[in-house]
Amino acid sequence: MFAFILKRLGLALLVAFTVSFISFSLLFLSGDPAAALAGETASGEDVEALRRLYGFDRPMMVQYGDWLFSALRGDFGESYYFKLPVASLIAERLQVTMTLGVCGILFALATAVPLGVAAAIRPNSLIDRVALFLSVAGQAMPSFWFGLILIVVFAIQLGWLPPSGASSWRHFIMPTIVLGYYAMPAIMRLTRAGMLDVLNSDYIRTARAKGSGEMRVLFKHALRNAIIPVVSLAAVQMGFMLGGSIVVESVFALHGAGYLAWESIARNDLPTVQALILVFSMFYIVFTFLADVLNAWLDPRMRSA
């Protein structure tokens, strides 16, 4: 198990290094960053002055080394638009995104796991077909469209919930549903498949033959084993949800890290965009690594290796 964790850790560090280089290289994909900052009306002298000011006249690998060393210390430079340190700007906005991500994954687990279990207990029944419909709809429906539908129905027509903002817990209800619904299909299908596989196992038939109650068989024996891969998937989905929160935050005007990414892209704030790409990628890498470690710890074969 220790060798497996070291291997996964090395792979995670390699991916993190690759992502850091790609995110830094985005600065140069659109051409001369100094010219982009100066604007179309700037003179050649102004562009050259900006190039020297921000160090764009140095070799690219030298710039990358300085940026990476500063990023490891938590210094991502200063935002071109907000005129604030990028690290403090992201830390302030990340609170909203983390709250939304945690609420979203809890909502997804609280709805997808019971539906998956119910669908496995009664295969080809009405509840199974409802779960299948929700799964297909969750994969096919764009998040922004679902969010707009909720705003029209529950905020404009019924007036039950506020359409935007983040000043109270009521503002997070609709964004939580939209973000959590994105993760529901995968969790639901995996729960259903795991329960069907476990319910056909020999030890489940043995438990029933010994006279154990159906609820005890389902929740103590079956679900406890079927839920192991679901927990790992939830960790991976958490990384996806944090990185994909830009759409949900833009629809509901939640001023989190996702909304900050949209603002930075629209205003050509390159240092903030670079840092956000790196931060969101690190979330996914860390949660994926934790999922691998959790899988290894829960697998008896891996623990004995």
Side-chain angles (χ1 to χ4, degrees), residues 24 27 29 49 59 89 100 103-104 110 132 158 167 174 207 214 220 228 232 235 240 250 287 303:
F24 176 80
L27 184 67
L29 291 180
L89 190 63
L100 181 60
C103 293
L132 178 62
L158 298 177
S167 57
M174 288 192 294
E214 189 64 19
K220 182 177 180 180
I228 293 175
S232 301
F240 272 123
S250 299
F287 280 114
R303 281 185 296 186

Side-chain angles (χ1 to χ4, degrees), residues 13-254:
L13 292 175
L14 179 61
V15 173
F17 177 78
T18 304
V19 168
S20 70
F21 182 76
I22 293 174
S23 62
F24 176 80
S25 302
L26 292 176
L27 184 67
F28 302 92
L29 291 180
S30 59
D32 187 356
L37 285 174
E40 296 180 358
T41 60
S43 63
E45 291 77 9
D46 294 334
V47 173
E48 188 61 33
L50 279 175
R51 189 176 289 113
R52 289 194 300 268
L53 176 64
Y54 290 106
F56 295 143
D57 54 341
R58 298 176 298 163
M60 179 179 173
M61 294 307 298
V62 175
Q63 296 182 54
Y64 170 68
D66 291 344
W67 178 81
L68 181 61
F69 181 73
S70 299
L72 291 174
R73 293 185 288 112
D75 180 11
F76 296 100
E78 184 181 90
S79 168
Y80 293 162
Y81 178 81
F82 296 98
K83 304 301 180 183
L84 293 171
V86 174
S88 62
L89 190 63
I90 294 177
E92 179 185 352
R93 300 289 192 95
L94 205 57
Q95 299 176 12
V96 174
T97 301
M98 290 298 295
T99 301
L100 181 60
V102 171
C103 293
I105 195 65
L106 290 178
F107 171 79
L109 289 171
T111 52
V113 171
L115 279 173
V117 172
I121 296 174
R122 297 285 186 269
N124 300 318
S125 64
L126 178 61
I127 187 64
D128 191 18
R129 296 183 185 279
V130 169
L132 178 62
F133 171 78
L134 292 176
S135 177
V136 173
Q139 291 289 347
M141 194 178 348
S143 298
F144 72 89
W145 185 82
F146 186 34
L148 292 174
I149 292 297
L150 291 183
I151 290 175
V152 170
V153 174
F154 294 102
I156 297 177
Q157 294 185 353
L158 298 177
W160 292 351
L161 297 170
S164 61
S167 57
S168 70
W169 63 270
R170 297 176 68 245
H171 290 84
F172 284 91
I173 294 178
M174 288 192 294
T176 294
I177 294 174
V178 174
L179 193 63
Y181 192 54
Y182 169 79
M184 277 179 56
I187 296 175
M188 191 188 309
R189 289 198 306 267
L190 188 61
T191 303
R192 181 184 182 277
M195 284 292 293
L196 285 174
D197 184 57
V198 171
L199 288 174
N200 291 323
S201 300
D202 291 337
Y203 70 91
I204 295 296
R205 286 191 288 268
T206 302
R208 284 171 172 163
K210 289 182 177 180
S212 297
E214 189 64 19
M215 298 298 291
R216 180 182 177 86
V217 170
L218 288 176
F219 292 100
K220 182 177 180 180
H221 299 288
L223 184 60
R224 186 173 64 178
N225 290 279
I227 205 70
I228 293 175
V230 175
V231 174
S232 301
L233 176 63
V236 176
Q237 288 290 337
M238 182 69 177
F240 272 123
M241 292 165 67
L242 291 175
S245 63
I246 178 173
V247 176
V248 177
E249 291 181 13
S250 299
V251 170
F252 293 97
L254 293 172

